[in-house]
Structures are given as structure tokens and as C-alpha cells.
């Protein structure tokens, strides 16, 4: 009689325990440990900020400061060098003596020419006096017309002789003056090719003088830039003064290439050079095009196109929200694409894996 009730209670408790167990499991699945409501993990992307820059980038070349005019000065007469008055590197003024020749022989030539002039002068005086006497005799009938004509010829010959003698004196005086080699302009002596005691011929280079009236930066330009160098804006900066630049203008471009380097020598006149600019200083010549179109340069991997035109993904660095923006392509290069419109300066553009992105996703930037 007592066993039946206990068995009934056992069977009753089992369904109750099962129900309680199901309720407990359900409550556990709805708690904090649920995976259904976990936020999705953000995809990592590499992005680059948008920067507008000239389509044609600046090009720089190493140059050397050189004078616009550098002349080899030589004596206009031959002779023995008596003294050299300057050294390489000296600054000289126009008309300043640089070197002198021995003047003994030239002094003798000048004295000889003067003696010839004195003799010619005396001969002319005598011929003119004789001419006056013949003219007086002709008037009194004591001389013939032929005698008068001969005497006039003698006078003319004496005048010609005097003229030649005066020119000889001038030439001898000039030759004496040419024994002093003088600077023809303000400049700097860059080389000396003579020494005292040396016998030099007429016109042989003796002193090399660089005029300081204008200074240039000389650079070698590659063949593919010879057209651009004619129109580009040029600036010159000195290695000794980093951070400073000076406006320059192309003065001369070599018509033929150097046979060894295959480059063209270009000379840029420095428009407002500093006072301490020295010949031989190293400089950087920069060519830029101020009127060049400004574009955005991005890697080709940043471009997204699924038949609706080129686009790029921009990402908000704070929220990670993606935005697909259509862009206007200017040109395609080997590894880059140039954009004209569609993005703003400072936008962060995804540059890798854009084919696997969706505008509804949220991402995080891991590199630039």
C-alpha cells in the first residue's frame, strides 16, 4: 500500500526536473555568454591620405656655380715676362695690371720711330721752303713750270713720309703699352699660365679672368627633359646655404649632347645672387612647372571598378565607416593612377584589398 505512492512521486518529479533544466539552459543561452549578439570584428585595411600635387613633379640636378664670361687674356706682343702681379683667386678691377713684359726693346723701337718722325719733319720743312723759292722765281720769270711741278711733288712726298713716321711712332707707343697685360673688366683670376722669365708669343693665354658681372649655375640635363627645361621655372640653391633658393633663368642650352654622358649642358643665370657667392660652389638646380595641373597620385590597387566607372573607398579614421566615391581618372602610369576629381584633400583612401570590401562594413586602419 505504501510503495505505490512513492513510485508515483518519483514519476511526477522527473518531468518537473526536466522542465526546470530546460528553463535553466534557456536562461544561460540568453545571458552574457551569447554569441548571437557579439559585434562583428572590423576588417583591417591600409589607407593613404589624399594629397594634391603637381602632375609634373619637380626635378633637381647638381650644378656648379660658374661665371657667365671667362676669358683667357694674352699679351698682344711677344716678349719675356718680367713680372706677374696676381695670383689665382685674386679679385681685380678693370684696368688693373696683371703682368708685364721686358720693355727694353720696345723702348728702343719707340725712340727709333720718334727719330724717323723728326727727320721726316725736317725734310718737309726744307721741301716747303724750296717750294716757296721756286714759286717766287716762277713769278719773276726765272724758273719754269716743270721745275715748280717737280718741287711740289717733293713736298707731297715729304708730307707722306712724315705721316708714315707719325704712324710708326703711334704703333711703337702701342706696342710699349701692350707689354702691360691689364684686366678688361672687374673679375676674379681663376688661372695663371705664365711665370717670370718665360718667353711668350703674341696671343698665347697668360691669365684666365672670370668676370663677376653675372654668375651662372651649370647643370647637365638628360635628353628626355630638354623640352621641359626651356619652359620650366628654375631655382638655384647652394649646398653651403640649405633652405635658401634664388630665382634663375635659362640662358643657354647646348645644341649637342656630351658624347660620354649623353646629357645636355644648360646654363642658368642667377638673377639676384648673394654677395658671398663664389665660383666653383656646388648648387642644386630645381625645375618646376607652376602651371601644372594638380592631381592625386594613388597606387593602382586603390581603384575599384565593377562596370560602373572607377571609384575608391574612403574611410573615416574614427568610426571606420567606408564610403565608395566615384572619381575622375587623368592618366594611368606604371604603378600609379592619377585622379583629378572625386576626393578631397585629407581623405583616407583604402589602397589594398578594395575588391573584398563592402560599403556596409566597418574597418580599422592598420597602416599608411
Amino acid at each position: 500500500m505504501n510503495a505505490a505512492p512513492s513510485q508515483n512521486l518519483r514519476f511526477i518529479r522527473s518531468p518537473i526536473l526536466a522542465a526546470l533544466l530546460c528553463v535553466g539552459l534557456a536562461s544561460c543561452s540568453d545571458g552574457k555568454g551569447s554569441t548571437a549578439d557579439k559585434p562583428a570584428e572590423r576588417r583591417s585595411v591600409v589607407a593613404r591620405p589624399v594629397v594634391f600635387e603637381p602632375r609634373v613633379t619637380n626635378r633637381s640636378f647638381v650644378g656648379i656655380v660658374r661665371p657667365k664670361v671667362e676669358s683667357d687674356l694674352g699679351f698682344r706682343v711677344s716678349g719675356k715676362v718680367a713680372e706677374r702681379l696676381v695670383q689665382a683667386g685674386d679679385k681685380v678691377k678693370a684696368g688693373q695690371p696683371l703682368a708685364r713684359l721686358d720693355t727694353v726693346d720696345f723702348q728702343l723701337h719707340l725712340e727709333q720711330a720718334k727719330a724717323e718722325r723728326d727727320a721726316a719733319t725736317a725734310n718737309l720743312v726744307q721741301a716747303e721752303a724750296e717750294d716757296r723759292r721756286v714759286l717766287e722765281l716762277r713769278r719773276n720769270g726765272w724758273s719754269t713750270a716743270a721745275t715748280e711741278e717737280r718741287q711740289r711733288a717733293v713736298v707731297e712726298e715729304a708730307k707722306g713720309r712724315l705721316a708714315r713716321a707719325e704712324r710708326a711712332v703711334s704703333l711703337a707707343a702701342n706696342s710699349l703699352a701692350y707689354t702691360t697685360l691689364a684686366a678688361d673688366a672687374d673679375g676674379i683670376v681663376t688661372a695663371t699660365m705664365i711665370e717670370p722669365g718665360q718667353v711668350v708669343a703674341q696671343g698665347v693665354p697668360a691669365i684666365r679672368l672670370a668676370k663677376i658681372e653675372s654668375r651662372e649655375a651649370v647643370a647637365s640635363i638628360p635628353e628626355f627633359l630638354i623640352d621641359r627645361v626651356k619652359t620650366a621655372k628654375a631655382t638655384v640653391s647652394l649646398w653651403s646655404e640649405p633652405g635658401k633658393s634664388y630665382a634663375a633663368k635659362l640662358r643657354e642650352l647646348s645644341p649637342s649632347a656630351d658624347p660620354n654622358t649623353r646629357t645636355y649642358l644648360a646654363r642658368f643665370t642667377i638673377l639676384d645672387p648673394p654677395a658671398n657667392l663664389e665660383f666653383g660652389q656646388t648648387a642644386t638646380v630645381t625645375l618646376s612647372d607652376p602651371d601644372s595641373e594638380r592631381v592625386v597620385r594613388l597606387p593602382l590597387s586603390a581603384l575599384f571598378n565593377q562596370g560602373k566607372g572607377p571609384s575608391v573607398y574612403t574611410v573615416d579614421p574614427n568610426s571606420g565607416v567606408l564610403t565608395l566615391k566615384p572619381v575622375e581618372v587623368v592618366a594611368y602610369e606604371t604603378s600609379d593612377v592619377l585622379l583629378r576629381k572625386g576626393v578631397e584633400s585629407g581623405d583616407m583612401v583604402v589602397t589594398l584589398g578594395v575588391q573584398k570590401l563592402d560599403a556596409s562594413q566597418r574597418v580599422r586602419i592598420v597602416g599608411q
Side-chain angles (χ1 to χ4, degrees):
M1 296 290 293
N2 294 330
S6 62
Q7 291 179 358
N8 292 335
L9 289 173
R10 186 182 60 185
F11 287 112
I12 293 172
R13 288 175 188 156
S14 296
I16 295 174
L17 291 174
L20 291 174
L21 182 61
C22 291
V23 172
L25 292 174
S27 63
C28 290
S29 64
D30 293 337
K32 292 181 180 180
S34 175
T35 59
D37 293 342
K38 268 189 177 181
E41 185 179 357
R42 294 186 181 185
R43 182 186 294 273
S44 300
V45 296
V46 176
R48 175 189 295 185
V50 170
V51 177
F52 282 87
E53 60 185 21
R55 180 176 179 179
V56 181
T57 57
N58 296 344
R59 298 299 299 266
S60 298
F61 307 92
V62 176
I64 299 177
V65 177
R66 301 293 300 170
K68 179 180 179 180
V69 178
E70 189 173 16
S71 304
D72 288 339
L73 305 181
F75 291 99
R76 299 174 66 173
V77 292
S78 303
K80 181 181 179 180
V81 179
E83 57 181 342
R84 177 165 55 82
L85 305 174
V86 294
Q87 303 289 340
D90 290 349
K91 293 184 178 181
V92 297
K93 297 292 184 180
Q96 179 178 337
L98 306 178
R100 290 190 177 95
L101 298 178
D102 186 2
T103 61
V104 174
D105 293 343
F106 297 95
Q107 288 283 4
L108 293 175
H109 290 159
L110 178 59
E111 293 174 2
Q112 180 182 2
K114 289 181 178 179
E116 291 289 342
R117 181 186 63 184
D118 294 341
T121 301
N123 185 40
L124 177 60
V125 171
Q126 182 180 3
E128 288 178 342
E130 184 66 24
D131 182 60
R132 286 194 296 271
R133 285 193 294 270
V134 170
L135 181 60
E136 183 66 24
L137 293 173
R138 178 81 174 89
R139 289 175 181 173
N140 296 329
W142 296 99
S143 178
T144 64
T147 303
E148 182 181 359
E149 290 177 359
R150 279 197 303 270
Q151 190 56 42
R152 287 182 180 176
V154 172
V155 171
E156 294 299 326
E157 182 181 357
K159 290 181 178 179
R161 179 183 174 186
L162 178 59
R164 291 194 301 270
E166 290 177 345
R167 290 184 175 86
V169 171
S170 298
L171 291 174
N174 290 342
S175 297
L176 180 61
Y178 294 156
T179 58
T180 299
L181 181 61
D184 59 350
D186 296 348
I188 298 176
V189 177
T190 58
T192 57
M193 289 81 80
I194 58 171
E195 295 295 338
Q198 180 180 349
V199 177
V200 296
Q202 178 182 358
V204 173
I207 304 291
R208 183 170 297 162
L209 182 66
K211 298 181 180 180
I212 60 177
E213 58 185 7
S214 62
R215 303 169 190 181
E216 300 179 333
V218 182
S220 297
I221 307 298
E223 182 177 355
F224 68 94
L225 287 176
I226 56 176
D227 289 334
R228 182 184 173 192
V229 74
K230 298 176 182 178
T231 57
K233 178 183 177 182
T235 56
V236 174
S237 58
L238 303 177
W239 289 20
S240 59
E241 296 181 354
K244 293 184 179 180
S245 60
Y246 305 93
K249 181 180 180 181
L250 178 67
R251 184 184 69 85
E252 178 182 314
L253 180 64
S254 176
S256 59
D258 184 276
N260 297 322
T261 62
R262 304 307 304 168
T263 56
Y264 293 78
L265 198 66
R267 294 179 175 270
F268 297 88
T269 301
I270 303 175
L271 300 181
D272 189 14
N276 60 345
L277 183 62
E278 301 292 343
F279 296 139
Q281 286 185 307
T282 307
T284 299
V285 179
T286 302
L287 301 179
S288 59
D289 189 354
D291 299 329
S292 177
E293 181 183 16
R294 301 185 67 83
V295 297
V296 179
R297 184 182 298 272
L298 294 174
L300 288 172
S301 58
L303 208 60
F304 180 80
N305 193 340
Q306 287 188 337
K308 297 181 180 180
S311 304
V312 295
Y313 275 108
T314 61
V315 55
D316 187 336
N318 298 321
S319 64
V321 175
L322 289 171
T323 303
L324 186 62
K325 294 184 176 181
V327 293
E328 181 179 347
V329 176
V330 178
Y332 294 94
E333 295 184 352
T334 304
S335 58
D336 295 334
V337 59
L338 305 183
L339 307 181
R340 179 183 291 116
K341 298 178 181 178
V343 289
E344 301 293 335
S345 181
D347 288 350
M348 297 297 294
V349 177
V350 180
T351 57
L352 288 175
V354 295
Q355 289 78 11
K356 297 183 179 180
L357 297 179
D358 191 307
S360 62
Q361 291 178 313
R362 291 196 177 188
V363 297
R364 63 188 181 95
I365 301 173
V366 296
Q368 296 185 11

